[in-house]
Amino acid sequence: MAVPSTPGPLIRRAHPRRTYTLTAVLSATALAATALVAAPAASARPATPAGRGAEARPTIVLIHGAWADTSSWSGEVKALRDQGYSARAIANPLEGLTTDAETVAYFLKSIRGPVVLVGHSYGGSVITNAAAQTDNVKALVYVDAAAPAVGETTGALSGSTSALNAPPETLFDNVPYPNAPEGTTNLYLKQEIFVEKFAQDLPARQSANLWATQRAASMAAFDTPSKYAAWKTIPSWYFISTGDQIITAESERMMARRAGSKITTFQGGSHLTLISHPAAVTEVIKAAIDAVS
């Protein structure tokens, strides 16, 4: 049936108390259509001002150390992501300082926007070199970590009272690997060293399981001199556990002071305080985030 162009007669429905006109229905439809045309499309709304939206928040990239993996950062990643931050823990090859840092630098260059770069243990040496090879790292956070100067090796920064100063045969199981530099092997921490010196503040069963799942680190990771010292130009924060027996608190304080880092001292803990007390570590990371956001 054709719709008349002039107002038509009343069209009655079955409901005895309601009467509708075709004209009224058409008028309502026309008004709704007019409103849709007049309203601005969502995509046409002004962009969030720079520095105020989620895009201005930095991405937090976390680098693990030797005899560990990305799961070391599970507590910190969960806490940061639960609070709305973008946090990524990426694999550190543990093959040699120069190439490990290059691998991390390539990843950093793939991120749009600012980065807060966090390193634990040998991962501190890696971030010290990786951050100097990109321009988006705005803060460095060292967690019971090494922060070498140019020419220094990670192995030389453990501290005079470090458990790693014992004879190597009492510390490591040495395993050859393909294409290794001459005289270089993969190092696995022996179980008693891992449980009693590396992760002594964790429950014994958890510590033993972490030992059983450790990733080997090449000797080259500890013997390669640092090419860069990014902490000279990038603001840094330092988390120091007084119970760390691998990189001693004394050595970490020396590195933190020469870097001009903001220092947080945690009483107790171990070299794996990032696992045993992730909330305390997360607070220091958040302080760095707040400073650059």
Side-chain angles (χ1 to χ4, degrees):
M1 181 178 69
V3 177
S5 58
T6 57
L10 290 175
I11 300 174
R12 299 187 179 277
R13 304 296 185 197
H15 198 293
R17 296 185 181 179
R18 294 182 182 172
T19 304
Y20 301 88
T21 66
L22 185 57
T23 302
V25 173
L26 290 173
S27 298
T29 303
L31 286 171
T34 302
L36 287 172
V37 172
S43 60
R45 292 174 183 166
T48 302
R52 296 184 182 179
E55 292 182 0
R57 303 178 90 183
T59 298
I60 300 90
V61 179
L62 304 105
I63 309 300
H64 65 80
W67 309 301
D69 59 24
T70 56
S71 67
S72 303
W73 294 113
S74 294
E76 288 82 0
V77 169
K78 182 180 186 305
L80 291 166
R81 293 182 69 84
D82 284 351
Q83 294 174 52
Y85 295 100
S86 176
R88 300 284 303 274
I90 65 168
N92 182 356
L94 305 180
E95 294 174 350
L97 180 55
T98 301
T99 55
D100 291 348
E102 289 173 351
T103 297
V104 171
Y106 281 128
F107 180 80
L108 297 174
K109 292 173 184 178
S110 75
I111 297 174
R112 289 189 62 184
V115 170
V116 170
L117 188 56
V118 187
H120 168 247
S121 189
Y122 164 69
S125 295
V126 173
I127 70 171
T128 297
N129 283 261
Q133 300 176 59
T134 182
D135 60 3
N136 59 341
V137 176
K138 305 305 178 184
L140 299 167
V141 182
Y142 294 93
V143 179
D144 293 320
V150 174
E152 289 181 336
T153 65
T154 304
L157 294 171
S158 295
S160 60
T161 59
S162 168
L164 297 183
N165 290 331
E169 64 272 16
T170 68
L171 299 172
F172 308 115
D173 294 317
N174 293 269
V175 180
Y177 65 94
N179 303 316
E182 185 176 355
T184 299
T185 61
N186 268 337
L187 304 177
Y188 290 86
L189 274 183
K190 290 182 177 292
Q191 183 170 1
E192 59 271 26
I193 300 299
F194 196 107
V195 172
E196 297 174 10
K197 304 294 184 181
F198 193 77
Q200 74 274 11
D201 73 325
L202 290 170
R205 182 182 294 273
Q206 183 181 7
S207 180
N209 287 339
L210 289 171
W211 165 80
T213 57
Q214 68 177 288
R215 283 188 55 199
S218 170
M219 291 171 61
F222 308 105
D223 295 342
T224 304
S226 179
K227 289 185 174 182
Y228 304 96
W231 44 261
K232 287 188 175 182
T233 56
I234 300 174
S236 59
W237 283 252
Y238 229 110
F239 180 95
I240 300 173
S241 297
T242 62
D244 192 340
Q245 298 185 48
I246 301 300
I247 304 178
T248 66
E250 180 183 20
S251 180
E252 290 176 21
R253 277 192 290 270
M254 178 276 293
M255 291 182 282
R257 286 169 180 160
R258 75 179 178 184
S261 304
K262 297 172 179 62
I263 299 173
T264 296
T265 299
F266 182 87
Q267 297 299 321
S270 68
H271 195 57
L272 292 185
T273 305
L274 78 165
I275 296 178
S276 58
H277 296 279
V281 174
T282 300
E283 285 303 308
V284 175
I285 297 172
K286 284 177 60 182
I289 294 170
D290 291 342
V292 301
S293 297

